[in-house]
Amino acid sequence: MIKTNKDKLVIQSVQGQISSPATSNNPYRIDQEGLAHILPATGGICYNVKVGDSCMKWVGDHIEPGVSIKNDNTPDNKALMLLACIGNEAQVITGNAKGAKGFVTGMHGGVDHTLIYFGDEDLENMAIGDTILVKAYGQGLAIEGYEDIKCMNIDPRLFEKLNIKENSKGILEVPVVTEIPAYLMGSGVGGATAFSGDYDIMTGDKNANEKFGINKLRFGDLVLLKDCDNTNGRQYLEGSISIGVIVHSDCIKSGHGPGVTVIMSCKTSKIKGVIDEEANIGNYLGIL
């Protein structure tokens, strides 16, 4: 079993409130063909959109599964986005659902929402504005003997459940549902850091969606991004490998699609994907 520095990592509180869906005086969203649509999008509580569901079937744009939280204080929200990690424990601390526990499922850049899973009964007791505290734990995670692999955005306890193995060539084998080529990565490329937020798999090419299994993607799926360097900012680098989690749905806008929050990246091919249809955080966390 690979060893990490998990015992040296800090567990620290961050929090936000359930964020309302919002719109402007112009409510239309423009699709890849230039057509205007009025659709549900980011924010709020999504009662019927969950980890393990298809991220491609919804009549909506950038749909976020479960509960979307944000802190109205911008520096505090930046800390929430930066420090919260997928798999972290989250707890409702105000409102009728006070005491309910869930876990972080991703961070959505741009709108700057942190996404949280809760069970159905708890969702029914929640309201916009309820405060949710996250026990942030994971940033700074490192694998012993693999200092060139950057880990980020994942709770060490979830990381250990991914069944990552070291092969005879010293390469880490990580379960993933599919591999995505760099030329399909769109919105978010060039971001200053991959330690916050996500970036999108472009879905404007129907043949590519079929060829690379994008049509089958689910919220929570692990994917491998080929020739994608996320060790610092997001860029193309031949031979680099990144592993990420699908955090939000497909989108109608050009250059957008399912969002990926990266959890591992290496500038060289020290990471290898092993195709596993069950490689989904919902399975590792016992909710599917």
Side-chain angles (χ1 to χ4, degrees), residues 224-288:
L224 183 146
L225 310 179
K226 297 179 67 175
D227 301 316
C228 292
D229 175 23
N230 283 266
T231 55
N232 187 30
R234 301 187 180 101
Q235 66 173 354
Y236 170 85
L237 179 64
E238 186 175 2
S240 61
I241 299 292
S242 293
I243 304 291
V245 176
I246 300 296
V247 298
H248 70 64
S249 81
D250 192 18
C251 317
I252 67 171
K253 296 180 179 180
S254 295
H256 291 257
V260 181
T261 293
V262 171
I263 60 170
M264 300 174 68
S265 187
C266 186
K267 290 181 180 291
T268 58
S269 299
K270 288 286 186 71
I271 301 171
K272 177 183 178 182
V274 177
I275 300 300
D276 179 356
E277 293 182 356
E278 301 304 313
N280 185 288
I281 64 168
N283 287 318
Y284 301 123
L285 292 168
I287 63 166
L288 296 183

Side-chain angles (χ1 to χ4, degrees), residues 67-79:
V67 176
S68 304
I69 70 170
K70 189 172 187 175
N71 196 305
D72 289 337
N73 179 290
T74 297
D76 290 0
N77 194 60
K78 288 182 181 295

Side-chain angles (χ1 to χ4, degrees), residues 52 87 139 153 221:
Q139 298 297 34
N153 305 322
D221 276 351

